[in-house]
Amino acid sequence: MSALFRPDIEGLRALAVSGVVAFHFGLSDLPGGFTGVDIFFVISGYLITGQLLREIAEDGRLDLWRFYARRARRLLPASLFVIFATLVAGYFILSPDEQSLYSKGAMYASAYAINFWLIRWSFDYFAPDAANNPFIHFWSLSVEEQFYLVWPGLLLLAAWLRPGKRTAILVIGLTGAVSFAVCAWLTTVAQPWAFYFSPLRAWEFAAGGLATMAPAKFWRERPQLGAALAWLGLALIAGAYLTFSEQDTPFPGVAAVVPVAGTVLLLLSGSGNVQRGPSAMLALPPLQWLGKLSYSLYLWHWPVVVYATMMVPDLSWPGRLACAALTLALSIFTYHFIENPIRRNGWLMAHAARALIPAAMLTGAGVMATYANARLAVDDLDPSQRIIAETAAQPSTARAEVGCVLDYETVTPKPCVFGAKNAERSIALFGDSHADHWSTPLIEAAKKNDYKVVTWLKAACRASRLTVWSSKLKRDYTECDQWREQSIKEIIALRPSLVVISEISLTSSRKLSPDAQQSDSLDQDWQAGLRATLEAFSQAGLKVAFIRDVPFNSMFVDTCVARALWRGQTPSICDAPRTDAANDAMAALERDIVRAVPNATYIDMTDRFCDAKTCHVFIDGKLAYRDRHHMATPFAQTLEPPVERALFSTGAAEK
């Protein structure tokens, strides 16, 4: 074993991977376990910076080929093995369209670039659920690999400017400070960039890099101080694990300082070989064993839990323990038969080219194979699968026009005109994406009755005057409030014959983000907000029609139906009990509020989706939803007759 080996760092790896695995396996007592990734980043910065600085000090140069050969032997074989095994398992579990989509993720993962793919994914309101992506955890490996590409050059630059620790500290510190400042800012305005973009995680690696330059002698001579700081570091990590939440904690940003600082303190304490307190605990044999397996555990745990919950949506704790045992078994196999043998192979270690040339070939083969799998999975789709894919992808009439459904950041309304555009009479459609999916039947019905439809639509922005917490933005959705007020003014100025409103029900939004911040008074605030919006139009002399929200499904309907057909099952297995899906109690309260406002009408089309006991997802041969809670456009088209009757035959749209 190398004289530089630090058992406390091996134990830190165990602590990091345990937090991540526990979090992903649903251990609610560790809601901040995801911060284990930040521990890994600091450890990597510490070890790699120390290794590179020692080589520069001893040789006056860096053998970059040897450095990258070590990284390739260490990381590439196991990751590619897990990627290919995950794809093979996916053939039996995923629908063809999912196989194609996630093969693209595997392609980016093979090239260590999936973090860039996920940034784009994060800003797509209708992107598939990240919880179903078996390769999403490769983002952190991509960030690390990108760090390895840039960091040696940065340290060489510091040595070229002026050899010695001071310049290295200055360069690393400045890099870390800039990275942290931008990361903290972007966490509040565009969180996916702060989370996935490697330059904005550089400060965590830099923190580890700075720690490696602290004199070990200082800590050897002050063992009591080292032990005290180690306890503080462990407390900071424990605090992050126990109190942070993916939904409620804006992350990474300033919050990430907590696990990063905790890791730095533990690394500093251990650098003096102070074998007491946390350092001694981290050196215990069980943690050493787990630390050695940490890389393989990280690679395997996520595809195991993703595929298990796909096959058994309500996975019990015994089932999760079985998944943990499977993860451990796969990790032990990978470590002993793939990771370690290749990493320590004498022939590969003898010369950098012997590792780098096969690594480049393997990476290229991985990218080509995953790309080919993405194409082949949908090359000859069964007609039913093709219809489902095309149905789910078809936008509503309003969304098909670029810019007519505003994104999260835009606050200036953009009215769009549809239907009989030269008609004297108009209908305003106002609300979030749950108003948008009614645009298809509404616009068609308006055409038939010589009305134009003017839309005011914004993603995740309900019409009710209610400030909500955005899980995507990790903060109050203030852009929605600004947009809503201006839209109400513009609609009143337009003087339409009718204002049509729809929005996601409060019950559905809670199911969609069960861990999101919820105030105790949210129900009362929503009732007051809905009433305030309706009264604003009513008092202006405008008629209002409020369309009840569609039922909510516990799973992505298009995915569920596609998988069912792929496995030879009927789509009805994706149906849901009405008591779970229809939100009847909330709808009754909503109906009473609407009917109490003059000139307001409540329209309920739930019977198009549900009978007395069951809400269906495949109706009259058509897929009813494109995901969990948005209507599929071809099915929405079939609702034009009842929409026309509700708005025009009853005189709701007549002045």
Side-chain angles (χ1 to χ4, degrees):
M1 187 175 290
S2 169
L4 296 174
F5 175 74
R6 292 264 304 269
D8 60 311
I9 292 180
E10 202 74 272
L12 260 178
R13 288 193 178 107
L15 189 64
V17 79
S18 297
V20 174
V21 171
F23 170 73
H24 284 150
F25 272 77
L27 185 60
S28 58
D29 290 337
L30 290 178
F34 61 90
T35 60
V37 170
D38 303 87
I39 298 175
F40 279 126
F41 287 166
V42 178
I43 292 173
S44 292
Y46 184 86
L47 293 176
I48 296 303
T49 303
Q51 173 191 321
L52 294 174
L53 287 178
R54 282 191 298 272
E55 187 175 342
I56 292 173
E58 292 169 5
D59 303 337
R61 57 184 291 275
L62 280 180
D63 187 341
L64 292 177
W65 296 118
R66 187 175 65 176
F67 171 75
Y68 290 123
R70 285 197 300 266
R71 295 296 90 208
R73 293 197 314 270
R74 171 75 174 91
L75 301 175
L76 188 62
S79 66
L80 286 179
F81 175 68
V82 172
I83 286 171
F84 287 129
T86 303
L87 286 175
V88 171
Y91 175 82
F92 301 98
I93 298 170
L94 303 170
S95 69
D97 204 50
E98 287 178 291
Q99 293 175 43
S100 177
L101 174 65
Y102 297 133
S103 290
K104 294 175 185 174
M107 178 182 72
Y108 284 100
S110 300
Y112 292 101
I114 195 172
N115 55 321
F116 297 112
W117 189 59
L118 291 171
I119 290 172
R120 181 180 60 83
W121 181 314
S122 299
F123 286 102
D124 181 357
Y125 183 73
F126 284 100
D129 187 7
N132 286 329
N133 184 342
F135 300 103
I136 193 172
H137 64 312
F138 275 85
W139 76 268
S140 64
L141 303 180
S142 298
V143 168
E144 284 214 27
E145 283 297 314
Q146 291 154 25
F147 160 73
Y148 297 144
L149 287 175
V150 174
W151 207 247
L154 192 69
L155 297 182
L156 283 172
L157 173 64
W160 176 77
L161 290 171
R162 176 177 291 181
K165 276 189 176 181
R166 288 186 178 181
T167 307
I169 290 172
L170 180 63
V171 170
I172 293 174
L174 183 61
T175 300
V178 172
S179 170
F180 174 74
V182 179
C183 177
W185 170 64
L186 274 179
T187 297
T188 64
V189 296
Q191 188 263 352
W193 277 99
F195 195 92
Y196 291 121
F197 192 43
S198 48
L200 303 186
R201 290 299 191 116
W203 68 273
E204 300 185 44
F205 296 96
L210 290 173
T212 201
M213 287 181 277
K217 180 182 177 182
F218 177 88
W219 301 103
R220 279 197 300 270
E221 294 174 350
R222 297 166 178 81
Q224 291 182 333
L225 175 62
L229 289 181
W231 281 115
L232 176 58
L234 193 61
L236 289 173
I237 291 173
Y241 278 14
L242 293 169
T243 64
F244 284 13
S245 163
E246 190 179 36
Q247 295 287 346
D248 298 342
T249 306
F251 202 85
V254 175
V257 171
V258 176
V260 168
T263 307
V264 167
L265 291 176
L266 284 165
L267 290 170
L268 288 173
S269 173
S271 67
N273 293 316
V274 181
Q275 295 304 312
R276 63 174 65 183
S279 294
M281 292 168 53
L282 293 171
L284 291 173
L287 290 178
Q288 295 298 293
W289 179 73
L290 201 61
K292 287 180 173 64
L293 291 175
S294 60
Y295 180 53
S296 291
L297 280 167
Y298 184 82
L299 290 173
W300 277 116
H301 82 283
W302 183 243
V304 167
V305 75
V306 165
Y307 284 162
T309 50
M310 284 180 181
M311 293 185 288
V312 185
D314 298 319
L315 195 63
S316 63
W317 270 112
R320 291 181 184 273
L321 289 175
C323 288
L326 176 60
T327 299
L328 188 60
L330 290 169
S331 301
I332 292 171
F333 173 84
T334 304
Y335 176 76
H336 286 291
F337 293 100
I338 296 173
E339 184 183 339
N340 234 21
I342 295 176
R343 178 187 180 188
R344 296 178 178 175
N345 182 278
W347 186 84
L348 292 173
M349 294 171 68
H351 195 280
R354 293 184 182 181
L356 288 175
I357 292 173
M361 294 174 64
L362 275 174
T363 300
V367 170
M368 288 188 291
T370 50
Y371 176 77
N373 194 63
R375 297 296 298 270
L376 291 172
V378 292
D379 184 57
D380 189 25
L381 273 183
D382 177 89
S384 60
Q385 294 283 344
R386 189 175 300 281
I387 289 171
I388 291 169
E390 291 174 352
T391 295
Q394 185 175 336
S396 68
T397 304
R399 189 172 291 276
E401 295 293 325
V402 177
C404 289
V405 181
L406 300 184
D407 57 23
Y408 282 80
E409 289 76 23
T410 304
V411 298
T412 303
K414 181 186 175 181
C416 293
V417 182
F418 299 90
K421 295 185 178 182
N422 295 323
E424 294 182 2
R425 298 175 297 179
S426 63
I427 294 174
L429 177 62
F430 176 45
D432 56 17
S433 59
H434 284 235
D436 163 54
H437 63 195
W438 288 105
S439 69
T440 299
L442 174 62
I443 290 168
E444 190 59 34
K447 283 182 184 177
K448 293 183 178 180
N449 290 270
D450 198 30
Y451 282 79
K452 61 185 175 185
V453 175
V454 188
T455 62
W456 279 264
L457 303 167
K458 181 173 171 65
C461 184
R462 58 176 68 247
S464 300
R465 280 171 157 158
L466 173 69
T467 299
V468 296
W469 171 267
S470 170
S471 296
K472 188 175 285 286
L473 298 174
K474 307 295 182 184
R475 58 176 171 79
D476 282 346
Y477 192 8
T478 54
E479 292 90 342
C480 174
D481 296 339
Q482 297 175 54
W483 171 85
R484 182 193 302 115
E485 292 309 309
Q486 184 60 36
S487 296
I488 290 174
K489 291 179 182 177
E490 291 183 9
I491 293 170
I492 292 173
L494 177 68
R495 309 299 301 172
S497 301
L498 177 69
V499 181
V500 176
I501 293 174
S502 193
E503 62 184 22
I504 187 170
S505 77
L506 196 60
T507 305
S508 293
S509 63
R510 282 174 172 149
K511 293 175 182 175
L512 195 60
S513 302
D515 299 323
Q517 289 187 353
Q518 306 282 1
S519 67
D520 294 336
S521 62
L522 184 61
D523 280 32
Q524 290 76 20
D525 292 343
W526 163 74
Q527 293 175 46
L530 174 58
R531 191 176 295 108
T533 296
L534 294 171
E535 288 176 347
F537 294 124
S538 177
Q539 290 170 6
L542 300 179
K543 290 185 176 182
V544 182
F546 189 99
I547 303 179
R548 175 181 173 178
D549 191 21
V550 299
F552 184 91
N553 300 277
S554 61
M555 61 191 72
F556 277 64
V557 170
D558 57 324
T559 299
C560 181
V561 172
R563 284 183 200 158
L565 295 175
W566 179 246
R567 300 170 188 168
Q569 300 167 315
T570 62
S572 61
I573 69 166
C574 304
D575 291 345
R578 180 173 179 132
T579 52
D580 294 340
N583 304 321
D584 284 325
M586 181 64 71
L589 181 59
E590 189 178 68
R591 181 171 53 248
D592 291 342
I593 293 171
V594 174
R595 289 180 175 173
V597 176
N599 298 323
T601 304
Y602 192 76
I603 297 174
D604 188 346
M605 296 194 183
T606 308
D607 61 353
R608 299 284 169 173
F609 299 84
C610 310
D611 55 34
K613 295 183 177 180
T614 305
C615 290
H616 305 282
V617 299
F618 207 70
I619 302 170
D620 296 331
K622 292 186 180 294
L623 190 70
Y625 302 87
R626 61 176 298 169
D627 49 28
R628 297 169 71 184
H629 52 96
H630 293 99
M631 277 192 291
T633 297
F635 175 75
Q637 291 169 343
T638 68
L639 299 181
E640 185 274 324
V643 167
E644 184 177 10
R645 285 195 296 273
L647 297 182
F648 299 99
S649 298
T650 62
E654 297 294 334
K655 282 195 173 180

